[in-house]
Amino acid sequence: MSEKQVFVSVGRRKTAVARVNLTNGSGNLTVNGKPLTEYCFTDALALEATRPLVVTGLATSVDAKIKVNGGGANGQAGAISHGLARALEKMDANLRAVLKKAGLITRDGRAKERKKSGQPGARKRFQFSKR
């Protein structure tokens, strides 16, 4: 990997989209101009977002500038995680096996199911009355 080479990728989860710019560095992660620990307001969200870096052991050797929008806190953390995994794969193709085994390369396709007409929700039915 050459000095200051930028690896760009996109991660998605539910309706959240994260654009990741990954470079060599010292472990600085900024999300929408804020440090990751400040942006992800719980430790669980920060841990979920940085999982690809922890799994590959590169948490202190890369910097990432991340822009994320859409969705909620959990969706955004998942999108950041997916984007980081894809950027790491672009950076070093040998990391693919480790990331794939941890389930970080595959996009989580689950999303909210749409409400159906004639029903109160996606799956719920109106109460049945026999008489």
Side-chain angles (χ1 to χ4, degrees):
M1 186 167 84
S2 66
E3 199 61 35
K4 288 299 172 193
Q5 190 175 358
V6 179
F7 298 93
V8 181
S9 68
V10 175
R12 293 184 179 92
R13 171 78 172 98
K14 292 187 174 181
T15 58
V17 180
R19 290 164 197 78
V20 178
N21 294 323
L22 199 68
T23 57
N24 271 348
S26 57
N28 294 330
L29 301 173
T30 58
V31 182
N32 292 349
K34 296 180 185 175
L36 179 84
T37 52
E38 191 180 315
Y39 190 81
C40 293
F41 48 86
T42 66
D43 292 340
L45 290 175
L47 195 66
E48 166 68 22
T50 57
R51 205 158 146 243
L53 298 174
V54 174
V55 167
T56 57
L58 297 171
T60 58
S61 59
V62 293
D63 288 345
K65 282 190 175 181
I66 304 161
K67 295 250 197 278
V68 64
N69 66 325
N74 285 303
Q76 287 188 354
I80 291 168
S81 176
H82 187 228
L84 282 172
R86 292 176 82 177
L88 286 167
E89 184 189 5
K90 281 184 181 178
M91 185 177 86
D92 185 3
N94 299 327
L95 296 174
R96 180 175 171 81
V98 177
L99 293 167
K100 188 82 172 161
K101 188 168 185 193
L104 299 168
I105 296 288
T106 310
R107 186 210 192 277
D108 189 351
R110 295 176 297 170
K112 188 169 182 172
E113 193 174 329
R114 68 175 287 268
K115 180 194 172 296
K116 314 300 188 305
S117 60
Q119 300 170 17
R123 302 269 175 120
K124 193 175 180 194
R125 304 289 185 256
F126 286 116
Q127 186 172 354
F128 175 74
S129 174
K130 193 167 185 179
R131 285 176 186 77

